[in-house]
Amino acid sequence: MQSYLAGFGLGLSLIVAIGAQNAFVLRQGLRREHVFWICLVCALSDAVLIAAGVTGFGALAARIGWLEPVMTWGGAAFLLVYGALAFRNAWRGGEVLEAAGQGGQSLGRALATCLLLTWGNPHVYLDTLVLMGAVSAPYDKAGFAAGGMSASLVFFFSLGYGARLLAPLFAKPLAWRVLDILVGLVMWSVAFSLLRGQL
């Protein structure tokens, strides 16, 4: 139980920071588009990465010198494009709200975006493969991994379905514009922080 709680606490502390993936889950929750599948993909992705980190993949990844720069530049490029799209949606205003009501994004496109935001983010590898892998050393690995996976599952489903509580606020087009601007700022700030480390 001690290992489980340690994994749960660390996993939750790493996930709660607002980032590109969380902003996307929140947006999907507000739009009520494919919420279950988006949350499930996020939780399963974390589970795979946590399991890999706890079983020692982090040490192997640290030895592959070219992996981190490639993931960093690729992730930054994707975040810059996605952020620009969010700013474009904010500029268009009411069209975004109307599309949200119609459920305009296909499941395949939503899942593709979710997978790119998850697996294309270098920070996720540092958090799960390296950090959780290193911290798990003194604990029972199965219990620690289970705790981290549980934290991810609880967080993403709470964020995705809890977003509905904000639905009355987002009945107004202005609220969607503000959300899109915030999403764009988050995406670009993460991208620039990644690039700053490479320049």
Side-chain angles (χ1 to χ4, degrees):
M1 183 56 72
Q2 182 182 3
S3 297
Y4 177 87
L5 292 175
F8 188 93
L10 178 61
L12 195 60
S13 68
L14 294 174
I15 297 170
V16 294
I18 292 298
Q21 183 190 48
N22 292 352
F24 179 74
V25 174
L26 176 63
R27 182 174 178 77
Q28 291 300 114
L30 287 167
R31 294 165 66 97
R32 300 188 183 190
E33 283 186 2
H34 319 299
V35 179
F36 175 81
W37 295 110
I38 294 297
C39 295
L40 184 63
V41 164
C42 289
L44 289 177
S45 296
D46 272 6
V48 170
L49 290 165
I50 290 169
V54 170
T55 56
F57 184 76
L60 177 63
R63 295 178 183 170
I64 304 175
W66 55 265
L67 183 60
E68 182 180 349
V70 168
M71 292 301 300
T72 298
W73 284 100
F78 177 76
L79 290 171
L80 287 171
V81 171
Y82 196 88
L85 293 175
F87 286 126
R88 185 190 67 178
N89 288 340
W91 179 262
R92 290 181 174 178
E95 293 180 9
V96 176
L97 181 62
E98 183 180 343
Q102 295 172 350
Q105 191 175 40
S106 70
L107 176 60
R109 185 174 177 183
L111 290 178
T113 302
C114 182
L115 288 169
L116 281 170
L117 287 172
T118 301
W119 292 89
N121 178 9
H123 288 300
V124 77
Y125 298 101
L126 294 175
D127 288 347
T128 55
L129 293 177
V130 179
L131 185 56
M132 289 204 71
V135 175
S136 69
Y139 295 100
D140 170 70
K141 295 198 179 294
F144 190 90
M149 293 173 189
S150 298
S152 177
L153 188 71
V154 168
F155 175 78
F156 284 118
F157 276 91
S158 297
L159 179 63
Y161 285 101
R164 295 181 180 191
L165 299 175
L166 299 173
L169 174 65
F170 283 88
K172 302 175 182 177
L174 177 61
W176 282 98
R177 283 190 167 189
V178 171
L179 177 64
D180 280 321
I181 290 171
L182 292 175
V183 168
L185 290 173
V186 168
M187 302 293 179
W188 278 15
S189 66
V190 173
F192 288 129
S193 71
L194 291 174
L195 293 175
R196 190 167 53 244
Q198 294 295 311
L199 299 175

